[in-house]
Amino acid sequence: MNITDELRATLESAFDEARARRHEYVTLEHLLLALCGNLEGLKILKATGVDVDQLLEDVESYIDENLERIPEGKDLEPRQTVAFWRVLQRAAMHVQSSGKHEISAGNVLASLFREEESQAVFLLKKQGVNRLDITRYLSHGARKNKTLPMKPGSPEAEGDEGLDEETLENPLEAFTTDLVERAEKGLIDPLIGRKRELSLVC
């Protein structure tokens, strides 16, 4: 499984951020910070309604206030957290299952939302963006327009809560009916009084 050159540079940037700030671990917040500097990541975030300047400020503030710095003079080579590894592993598995061969920033962003307990996801959700917004943009180029009113109770209004996981992964099965399967189970009424129409078809 390959990653795009741009994503490779973004991952290196996340490690560079941790190294420059003398942090022992490369966290999802370092990753999010780096994704904001990735052209594809930036495009997706803006398309889904994120105020990138505010997001950067919030992430920087969290990192500065909550992550411990290693004292000067000690050797330092940051290591990725388990959550960081899970995000990349999950993105790779999704790309592979979809028949593609290259992981991009968009795949990583979508995967990031699975780490719901992280501050990175909290800060994204704080701006009203969720995983469904990301996947819609990746699949259909659908931009999120926060100025348009949404029908109460609609999936758009409810975010991820409006659609379950099975629906997100198998939209065809969720929104269509397999008539052949229903016929095999005897769930379709027999055609009565349609002998002429059937003979024309057959």
Side-chain angles (χ1 to χ4, degrees), residues 84-193:
F84 189 104
W85 180 86
R86 278 198 306 259
V87 166
L88 298 182
Q89 186 74 5
R90 197 182 299 118
M93 291 173 63
H94 178 75
V95 169
Q96 187 172 30
S97 67
S98 64
K100 298 179 181 178
H101 305 287
E102 201 169 45
I103 309 169
S104 69
N107 304 127
V108 173
L109 261 176
S111 177
L112 176 63
F113 270 93
R114 296 295 192 198
E115 301 296 327
E116 297 183 358
E117 300 301 316
S118 69
Q119 186 70 12
V121 173
F122 171 79
L123 293 176
L124 286 167
K125 287 186 174 182
K126 180 182 172 183
Q127 296 213 23
V129 65
N130 55 50
R131 184 174 179 272
L132 184 56
D133 297 323
I134 303 294
T135 56
R136 277 180 175 163
Y137 180 80
L138 293 175
S139 300
H140 311 292
R143 302 176 68 85
K144 185 172 183 179
N145 188 341
K146 291 187 176 181
T147 63
L148 293 178
M150 291 180 284
K151 183 179 179 182
S154 68
E156 290 83 1
E158 296 176 9
D160 278 329
E161 289 74 20
L163 297 174
D164 59 26
E165 185 61 28
E166 184 177 354
T167 301
L168 289 175
E169 298 298 333
N170 301 293
L172 187 63
E173 292 181 13
F175 297 112
T176 60
T177 300
D178 188 337
L179 295 178
V180 174
E181 182 182 0
R182 287 180 61 81
E184 289 174 348
K185 292 180 179 178
L187 299 175
I188 295 180
D189 294 335
L191 293 173
I192 300 175

Side-chain angles (χ1 to χ4, degrees), residues 12 15 47 89 155 186 202:
E12 290 174 358
F15 275 82
Q89 186 74 5
C202 300

